[in-house]
Amino acid sequence: MERNEARVRIEKLRSQLEEYGYHYYVLDEPIASDAEYDQLMQELISLEEQFPEFISDDSPSVRVGGEPLPFFEKVEHRSPMLSLGNAFSEQDLRDFDRRVRQTVGDEVSYSCELKIDGLAVSLLYENGRFLRGATRGDGMIGEDITHNLRTIPSIPLRLKEPIDIEVRGEVFMPKRSFETLNKAKEEAGEEKFANPRNAAAGSLRQLDPKLAAKRNLDVFIYAIGNISGKDISSHHQGLRYLKEVGFKVNNESRHCETIDDVIAFTNSWLERRADLPYEIDGIVIKVDSVEQQKELGFTAKSPRWAIAYKFPAEEVVTTLLNIELNVGRTGVVTPTAILKPVTVAGTTVKRASLHNEDLIREKDIRLGDSVVIKKAGDIIPEVVNVLADLRTGDEKEFLMPTHCPECESELVRLEGEVALRCINPECPAQIREGLIHFVSRNAMNIDGLGEKVIEQLFSHNLVTNVADLYQLERDELHKLERMGEKSVDNLLEAIEKSKKNSLERLLFGLGIRFVGSKAAKTLAMAFGEMEKLQQASVDELLAINEIGEKMADSIVSYFQKPEVTELLSKLESLGVNMTYKGPKPVAAEEIVDSPFANKTVVLTGKLEALTRSEAKEKIEALGGKVTGSVSKNTDLLIAGEDAGSKLTKAQELNIEIWTEQKLVDVLNQ
Ligand code: IVH
C-alpha cells in the first residue's frame, strides 16, 4: 500500500473502531460483532507497524498497551481532588439538608448518584484529545497513569468535540472480571485480591500497561473538574454534557427535589446494589445548582455541597453450630465459630474467627446461639453480637479447654497475653502449621506443596520436620492422593529448586518468633551467612537498624536450642543454601568515598522525586544512617518542600542542609 493510501485507511479504521468501541463500551449497545472489531483492529495494528510515522497515542490500537514505564511521574492537580464528608444514617442526611438550606435557602434540589467503589482518577483533554490521566494521590499531587488509563476501552481517546476539559471519575473492576481474575490467580497459586477495589488499584499501579490492559477495567465519569468556554449551571446538566461529548456516565443518577426523595433513593439501593454488575459503597448526594455549590463552598477537606451516604455493612443472622479450636504455628489456640452457612455481602460465610476466650466471654457467645454476622471492612467475617432473646434454653456455654486439642499437653496463658498457648514443641499441630509456613510463598516458596499435601505427608509420617522435605522419595510421594507421575516430578523439582533460595527465605521459613519476612531480609543482608547469625549476640543484633530488643532476644534464644543447631546442619548437609544471594550491602570500607559514609542524615518536608523510604534506602546503601529527629549528632538535613521545625532547628545548629534536588544529583553521581 502507498503511504498516502495507508494514511487515509488508518484514519478510516480509527474512526470506525472508535465508533464501534463507543457503542460497545460506553453505551453498552454493540453495533458490530466482536469478530469484525478484532479484524479491523488487526488491520490497523499491522498498518501502523508498516507505517510507524502514523502511530498516534490516541489511536484505538493503544488499548492493547504500550511499553512499560520505569516509574510513575508525579502530577499536580490543577484544582485539588477532594474527598467527601460521610453520612451514615437518615438523620445525618437530614442534618446535611438543614445545613445546606441555612446557607442557600429552601429552593434547593439534589443530584443523587451511585458511589462507585473504585479509584478516583482525573482525565485531562486538550482540543478533545486525551492528554493525561492521574490518580488522586493526596488530593494535590497524584501519579501519572496515562499509559494504563489509555488501555481502558470506555475512556475516550478523542472526544466528540474539540474541547479543553478536565473530568473526574471512578475506575473500577466489574464483579465478573474480578471473579475471573481471582480464579486465574488461585489456579496459578498466586495471592488473590481481597475485593474488586484492590484489584482495580493493583491494576492501575502496574508499570506495564499490557498487564493493565488485560484487567477489564471500566470507568464512570461523575464530574467536570475544569472546563473552558462552556457555561454549566447544574450538576445534572453537566452529567448530560459529559455524556454528549463521549464519556461514560452512570445511568442511575436521579434528580431529587426533597431530602425525603433523597432518602427514599438511598434506601432503594440498599437491596438493589447486590444486582449491579459492579460494587458500590454508598450514594453521593450533590446540591444540583452550580451557583449554590459556589455559595456553599468548601471546608479544608471536602465540599459543603455534597455528602457520601455510606451503606451499613450488611448484617445477617445465623446459627452458631460449633466452636472449633485451631492450634497455630506458634502454639496459639484460636477458637473459630462454625456457622450455619449464610450469604453476607455476596459470599457464603461458614466460619468466623472468635479470636480468644475473652471475646467469647465478653459477647457471651454460646453454642447454638443465633448470632449476627457481618464482614469487617466487607472482607473478614465476624460475629457482631448474640441475639440472647432468641435463646431456647438449649444453648450451651463454651469452655476453653485446659489441654491442647492436638497433643493434650497443658495450655498456658503467657503473661500479658489474652491467647492460650500450647508450649509443647513436639505438638503435631504446631509442626504441621510450621511446615505449611516453611513452604509458603514468602518463605521457601515450594510450588505444589499446598496445605493439603503437607497434611497428607504429615499424616503418613513421611515428614516430621522441614529437613524431611528434602529427603522425600519418589515412591513415597506416589502413595499420596492425586499424585501422578507429572505432579511428583514437578514437586521434586520445586523442592530441589528451593535449595538454592537466598538465605532470607530460609530464615523467614524457620518461623523464629517476631521475625517476619522483612526482618529476615535485613538479617540475611547484615550477616550474609547462617553461621554468623547463629553466633550473633543480642548486642550485635541490636546494632542493626530495625532490629529491636524483643526480636534480638528471640533470635538468640532460638539459635541456642540444640535441636535448632541439629536441624540447620542437617539442612546444610542436604544441600540447602545458607547464604544471602541478594544485592550486596556495601561494606563500610568500600564506601568511605561516599558523601554519606558514617553520616547521620535527617529527611524532612515533602519529597517529590522519590519517596521517603526510597531516599532512606539509597542513603543507607551508601553508608549513611537516617534518623527521625535533628540533634547535634545530625550531619546533614535534606529539606523538601514545606520543611518546618526540623529545618529551623538544623539552621540553628549550623547543620549542613541540602535541597531534594541536590540529593537527587548526588545520588545520580
Ligand atoms: S463526587 C468533590 N461522585 O468517592 C467530591 N465521588 O470521598 C468529588 N466516588 O474520592 C467526588 N463515586 O473517588 C463523586 N458518583 C460519585 C462517586 C464518587 C465514587 C468516590 C470518589 C471520591 C470518593 C469521595
Side-chain angles (χ1 to χ4, degrees), residues 462 468-478 488 492:
L462 292 175
D468 293 342
L469 289 170
Y470 293 97
Q471 301 181 82
L472 283 169
E473 303 275 348
R474 183 170 286 275
D475 49 336
E476 291 174 330
L477 289 171
H478 275 304
V488 171
L492 287 172

Side-chain angles (χ1 to χ4, degrees), residues 177-399:
S177 313
F178 169 71
E179 279 154 21
T180 316
L181 173 64
N182 260 357
K183 213 153 147 210
K185 285 204 159 259
E186 187 166 10
E187 277 159 19
E190 291 171 26
E191 207 164 317
K192 295 196 281 183
F193 284 112
N195 52 42
R197 189 192 139 79
N198 288 5
S203 307
L204 283 182
R205 285 215 43 108
Q206 296 286 347
L207 287 166
D208 184 353
K210 290 207 173 56
L211 289 174
K214 294 200 185 100
R215 291 289 175 80
N216 274 320
L217 298 174
D218 203 343
V219 75
F220 283 121
I221 301 302
Y222 52 66
I224 298 174
N226 287 289
I227 183 165
S228 43
K230 174 97 193 164
D231 214 18
I232 288 183
S233 63
S234 71
H235 184 73
H236 80 273
Q237 189 198 336
L239 291 179
R240 199 157 43 196
Y241 178 72
L242 286 167
K243 223 190 249 184
E244 269 166 34
V245 295
F247 289 109
K248 181 159 174 175
V249 176
N250 189 283
N251 275 330
E252 306 293 351
S253 65
R254 179 76 41 88
H255 189 199
C256 292
E257 299 290 339
T258 67
I259 199 68
D260 286 323
D261 290 350
V262 169
I263 290 163
F265 181 77
T266 56
N267 287 338
S268 79
W269 278 105
L270 275 173
E271 277 158 30
R272 283 195 290 158
R273 65 188 283 214
D275 304 329
L276 287 167
Y278 44 83
E279 297 220 340
I280 61 173
D281 60 344
I283 304 290
V284 182
I285 296 111
K286 303 171 184 173
V287 169
D288 193 46
S289 146
V290 171
E291 203 177 295
Q292 289 179 338
Q293 288 182 2
K294 285 192 186 134
E295 206 179 330
L296 284 154
F298 299 85
T299 69
K301 280 187 285 187
S302 51
R304 287 201 191 85
W305 45 264
I307 198 162
Y309 171 77
K310 292 282 188 77
F311 292 133
E314 192 190 342
E315 294 189 349
V316 296
V317 178
T318 187
T319 312
L320 175 73
L321 301 175
N322 198 1
I323 293 180
E324 205 178 85
L325 295 163
N326 301 91
V327 185
R329 175 166 65 84
T330 56
V332 172
V333 179
T334 313
T336 301
I338 307 300
L339 305 163
K340 189 163 161 220
V342 273
T343 307
V344 194
T347 62
T348 308
V349 171
K350 298 179 204 152
R351 314 161 61 89
S353 172
L354 294 170
H355 303 291
N356 54 55
E357 187 176 10
D358 288 6
L359 184 130
I360 299 177
R361 292 287 146 269
E362 245 165 58
K363 296 195 170 166
D364 187 19
I365 297 172
R366 304 185 195 172
L367 299 173
D369 262 338
S370 296
V371 288
V372 178
I373 307 294
K374 77 165 180 193
K375 284 205 224 149
D378 267 22
I379 305 171
I380 304 154
E382 94 183 12
V383 175
V384 182
N385 60 285
V386 164
L387 299 177
D389 289 349
L390 297 183
R391 283 187 179 145
T392 61
D394 291 339
E395 296 75 17
K396 291 202 179 59
E397 202 176 323
F398 175 77
L399 292 176

Side-chain angles (χ1 to χ4, degrees), residues 605-623:
K606 265 201 228 103
L607 300 184
E608 309 236 310
L610 61 185
T611 66
R612 275 279 170 102
S613 53
E614 283 164 357
K616 182 166 186 281
E617 213 168 272
K618 290 192 167 143
I619 293 169
E620 285 173 351
L622 288 167

Side-chain angles (χ1 to χ4, degrees), residues 82-84 113-116 120 136 170 222 284 286 303:
L82 300 168
S83 62
L84 294 174
E113 291 162 27
L114 304 188
K115 185 168 185 301
I116 313 296
R136 174 172 183 274
E170 198 86 351
Y222 52 66
V284 182
K286 303 171 184 173

